[in-house]
Amino acid sequence: MRKLTILSTTLIFMLCYMGEAKAQRSSKRPNIVYIMSDDHAYQAISAYGHGLNQTPNIDRLAKEGLLFTRASVTNSLCAPSRAVLLTGKHSYINGKIDNEAKFYWSQDNFAKILQANGYQTALIGKIHMDGLPEGFDHSAVLIDQGEYYQPNFIINGKKQQLKGYVTDLTTDMVLDWIAERDTSKPFCVLYHQKAPHREWLPALRHIKQYSSNTYPEPATLFDTFEGRGTAAKTAEMSIASHMNWAGDNKVPPTMMDELGLQEHMQWDKAAYNNNLARMSGTERAAWDSVYQPIMDNFKAAYPKMSSKELLQWRYQRYMQDYLGTVAAVDDGVGRLLDFLKEQGIDDNTIVIYTSDQGFYLGEHCWFDKRFMYEESLRTPLLIRYPKEIAAGQRSDALVQNLDFAPTLLDYAGIKAPKDMQGSSFRRLAAGRDSHWRDVVYYTYYEYPSIHMVKRHYGIRTDRYKLIHFYYDVDEWELYDLEKDPNELRNVYDDPAYATVKKNMIQQLKKVRKKYKDSEQNDLHYLPKGG
C-alpha cells in the first residue's frame, strides 16, 4: 500500500511537472524571422494566383498561415521602406524620405526595444542605409545595393568579401546565426535578400530553365496613358525606352556597339562588365553557355524586328532574369522552414515574408516602382505562426509596412511606444478582431531623380484611390478600383464621381492630420533651391 502511495505521489508529481513544463513552453515568447526581399512583386508569388511562376516554398507560408491580399507600403522605395519597418513611422517623421536622405540610427527602432527586453537580434542581408546598424547583436549587411556574385558584406563593422551567390550566402548566414544562438533566449532575425533587385542575375542553377521560358504579357504592356496626367506620361521606367540594354537585358556592350544600341543610363555597359567580372572563370563559362546563344539569336533578328517585337523581346528577357532571381529566394525560404522544423522551433517561430514594396512586371510597359498605382503600392505579405494563425487564411485588410514594428513588439509581449504611427495586426491575423483601418496613406518624394516619378501623396480605401501630384505640377487623380482595377481612367473630373471626390478629399485631410503630415512638410522636403 505504501509503495502504491509513493508511486502515485511520484506519478502525480511527474504529471504536474510535465504540465508545468508544457505551460512554460507554451508561454515562451516567440522567435521572429522577418524575411524581406527587394522589389519582389506580389504578381511573382504563385500563391497570389497570377500564373507567372512557381514559388512553392513561399506558398507554404500561405498554406500554413495567412496571406494578405492588400498589404501596402507608405513610400514605395527601398531605403525609406526599411526605415518605416524599423521605426513604425512615416518617412517624413523618421527622416528617410528617399534613398539619398540620411537615416539616423540613433532614433528608436523596434529591434532596439526587443534587444532591451531580452531578445537576441540580428540583421543579415540588404539594408541600403549607411552607418552601423543599431539594435542588433549581430549584423552582416550588404554595401549599398550589394552584388549578386562574390558580394561584399559589412560583418559587425568589418568589410568582407564572400565567395558565392548572394541569395544563398544570405540564407547560409541566417541559418548559421540561428544555429549558434543562445537557446535560453528568444530571437529576432531580419533576413533581407538583395534579390530580385536590378540588375537581375539569377543563380547558375536557374539560368537554363528560366531563360528558356516564355511568360504571358500583362494586359497593359502597350499602355498609351490616355486619360491620365503628366506623371504617368513623363516617368522614365519604360521597358521599351528606359531599360538598359547591357546591364538589364544582358546584351554585351560590344554587341550594342555593333547594332547601334545606345545607353539610356551612363552606367549601363559598366554595370554589365562589373557584374559579370565578379564571376569566377567557371561561373562565367556556365553563364555564357546559356546567354551567348540568346544574344546571337537576337543579333540576327534585330534588323528586322518591329518596335512591338522589340518590346516583347525585352519584356521576356526582363521576366526571365527577374523570375530567375526569385527562384533562389524561394529556395532560401524552403531551407529556412525545413531548418526551423529540424530544430524543433517551427511552432514557436513567427515567419513573415514580404518585400520592401511592389514592382512593375511590364504593367503599363513599366519596370521599377515609386508610383502609388497598385503594382507599386501593394507588397506581398504572408505570415505563419501556428500557435495563433490558422492555416490557409486570406485577408483583404489594408495593413501597411507601418504596422510591422508595433505588430512584432506585440507578439513579443511589449507595448509599442506611443509615437509609433502603425498598429498591431496580431489580433486581426489571429481572427480575434475584424476591426481595422479603412484607409491607408502614401507619400513619395524622390523627384527629380532616376525614373523621374513626380512627387505625390494620396490615400487608398477599399474601393477608391486619390492621388495628388505636386512640386512642378498640381494634378489630381481618382480611380475606382472596383470598375477600373488597372487604373486606366482618371475620374477626378467626372461629374458622376463628384460625391466620391468630395468624400475622398475630406478623408485625405483627416488622414494627413492624423499622421501629422502637412503642406509644410511638403515644402520642407523640397530640393535645395526648389
Side-chain angles (χ1 to χ4, degrees):
M1 187 72 178
R2 184 172 178 272
K3 289 183 180 180
L4 182 60
T5 303
I6 293 173
L7 181 62
S8 300
T9 303
T10 302
L11 182 60
I12 292 170
F13 174 82
M14 289 178 64
L15 290 172
C16 290
Y17 175 81
M18 289 171 63
E20 182 179 351
K22 184 176 181 181
Q24 288 177 346
R25 286 197 299 272
S26 64
S27 64
K28 283 174 61 177
R29 290 184 294 175
N31 305 308
I32 300 166
V33 180
Y34 175 91
I35 312 170
M36 177 183 277
S37 54
D38 193 307
D39 293 346
H40 192 175
Y42 61 87
Q43 309 95 290
I45 293 177
S46 46
Y48 280 88
H50 290 264
L52 273 177
N53 61 331
Q54 294 298 315
T55 51
N57 296 300
I58 298 173
D59 289 1
R60 284 169 60 183
L61 297 174
K63 292 176 182 177
E64 300 173 13
L66 170 64
L67 179 148
F68 285 95
T69 62
R70 292 178 179 171
S72 65
V73 295
T74 60
N75 184 340
S76 186
L77 200 58
C78 299
S81 179
R82 286 165 168 76
V84 172
L85 153 71
L86 289 166
T87 65
K89 301 173 186 177
H90 276 278
S91 301
Y92 50 86
I93 300 293
N94 67 51
K96 188 63 177 171
I97 60 161
D98 57 28
N99 281 336
E100 300 301 321
K102 182 177 178 60
F103 178 71
Y104 292 94
W105 283 102
S106 57
Q107 65 184 300
D108 210 2
N109 69 53
F110 82 87
K112 289 183 182 181
I113 298 171
L114 288 177
Q115 192 180 47
N117 284 271
Y119 267 75
Q120 300 164 90
T121 57
L123 168 58
I124 299 173
K126 182 175 177 180
I127 191 62
H128 197 201
M129 293 191 288
D130 292 337
L132 185 66
E134 295 184 21
F136 301 95
D137 301 310
H138 173 79
S139 63
V141 299
L142 292 162
I143 301 171
D144 194 36
Q145 298 288 3
E147 305 93 359
Y148 275 104
Y149 284 85
Q150 278 63 256
N152 291 301
F153 281 84
I154 302 294
I155 301 178
N156 296 322
K158 295 181 180 180
K159 182 178 177 180
Q160 184 177 349
Q161 184 176 22
L162 303 182
K163 184 178 180 180
Y165 186 66
V166 67
T167 306
D168 299 336
L169 291 169
T170 301
T171 302
D172 291 342
M173 286 190 283
V174 168
L175 301 189
D176 288 345
W177 184 81
I178 295 175
E180 295 165 6
R181 75 194 188 282
D182 180 351
T183 56
S184 68
K185 299 178 181 179
F187 68 83
C188 174
V189 57
L190 307 191
Y191 169 18
H192 287 192
Q193 293 287 19
K194 167 185 170 61
H197 193 279
R198 187 186 194 187
E199 294 92 4
W200 311 279
L201 274 72
L204 294 177
R205 64 183 179 275
H206 294 133
I207 58 176
K208 186 174 182 180
Q209 174 190 347
Y210 281 85
S211 64
S212 63
N213 288 345
T214 300
Y215 296 96
E217 297 173 357
T220 57
L221 181 61
F222 300 96
D223 193 355
T224 61
F225 304 107
E226 182 180 354
R228 276 148 291 164
T230 306
K233 295 173 182 176
T234 58
E236 297 181 359
M237 56 173 60
S238 165
I239 294 173
S241 304
H242 305 117
M243 182 170 275
N244 286 336
W245 287 103
D248 294 335
N249 289 154
K250 311 305 186 297
V251 178
T254 53
M255 188 177 292
M256 284 180 62
D257 294 339
E258 292 176 40
L259 298 176
L261 302 175
Q262 301 298 311
E263 289 183 302
H264 171 64
M265 302 299 296
Q266 62 182 5
W267 40 264
D268 181 9
K269 294 178 181 179
Y272 176 95
N273 290 328
N274 293 338
N275 288 338
L276 270 61
R278 303 187 70 84
M279 296 179 177
S280 68
T282 302
E283 289 171 334
R284 182 61 188 271
W287 180 275
D288 287 344
S289 71
V290 173
Y291 281 80
Q292 192 59 50
I294 295 172
M295 296 307 149
D296 289 341
N297 289 336
F298 171 68
K299 181 180 178 181
Y302 176 74
K304 297 181 180 180
M305 294 175 77
S306 66
S307 57
K308 178 180 179 181
E309 291 170 332
L310 195 57
L311 169 56
Q312 291 174 316
W313 183 87
R314 301 194 77 178
Y315 168 75
Q316 293 299 330
R317 282 272 58 249
Y318 170 35
M319 286 297 92
Q320 289 164 358
D321 287 347
Y322 177 95
L323 296 174
T325 65
V326 168
V329 174
D330 188 68
D331 291 345
V333 173
R335 288 178 58 199
L336 170 83
L337 294 177
D338 291 344
F339 178 78
L340 295 176
K341 188 172 184 179
E342 291 167 6
Q343 295 285 306
I345 57 174
D346 55 325
D347 283 347
N348 195 47
T349 300
I350 300 163
V351 179
I352 294 174
Y353 186 90
T354 188
S355 176
D356 51 356
Q357 71 271 310
F359 212 67
Y360 294 103
L361 302 185
E363 298 87 1
H364 311 292
C365 194
W366 285 338
F367 67 103
D368 205 68
K369 56 264 185 177
R370 301 167 195 266
F371 273 114
M372 196 187 167
Y373 304 133
E374 284 296 280
E375 294 85 1
S376 174
L377 174 70
R378 285 171 56 188
T379 186
L381 178 57
L382 307 91
I383 178 171
R384 179 192 186 277
Y385 185 35
K387 285 188 175 181
E388 291 192 14
I389 300 173
Q393 301 299 304
R394 294 174 75 91
S395 172
D396 296 332
L398 298 174
V399 298
Q400 286 194 289
N401 58 343
L402 191 69
D403 304 317
F404 288 140
T407 299
L408 296 178
L409 291 175
D410 190 0
Y411 277 121
I414 304 167
K415 189 174 182 179
K418 291 182 179 179
D419 60 351
M420 282 190 175
Q421 296 179 298
S423 301
S424 170
F425 55 75
R426 179 180 180 179
R427 291 180 59 82
L428 180 73
R432 298 199 301 266
D433 192 349
S434 59
H435 178 72
W436 194 248
R437 69 169 66 92
D438 55 10
V439 60
V440 293
Y441 184 53
Y442 180 87
T443 60
Y444 178 78
Y445 298 93
E446 194 170 278
Y447 177 90
S449 186
I450 184 172
H451 298 303
M452 298 300 285
V453 173
K454 295 187 182 297
R455 292 168 179 246
H456 58 290
Y457 59 83
I459 57 171
R460 186 207 197 278
T461 66
D462 179 63
R463 177 170 176 176
Y464 300 105
K465 183 182 294 180
L466 178 67
I467 309 172
H468 180 212
F469 293 95
Y470 66 99
Y471 175 54
D472 62 336
V473 294
D474 182 11
E475 297 181 358
W476 292 82
E477 296 182 4
L478 176 65
Y479 294 97
D480 183 340
L481 300 173
E482 182 178 291
K483 295 184 177 180
D484 180 25
N486 292 324
E487 296 168 299
L488 299 177
R489 181 170 173 256
N490 175 18
V491 296
Y492 187 80
D493 292 321
D494 187 335
Y497 286 85
T499 301
V500 173
K501 171 181 168 179
K502 180 180 179 181
N503 291 338
M504 289 293 284
I505 290 174
Q506 289 176 344
Q507 284 198 71
L508 176 62
K509 290 178 180 178
K510 290 180 181 178
V511 167
R512 277 167 68 86
K513 183 177 180 180
K514 172 185 176 182
Y515 289 124
K516 300 179 182 180
D517 199 6
S518 64
E519 292 183 4
Q520 285 70 34
N521 279 340
D522 300 337
L523 293 171
H524 176 71
Y525 288 119
L526 291 181
K528 292 180 180 179

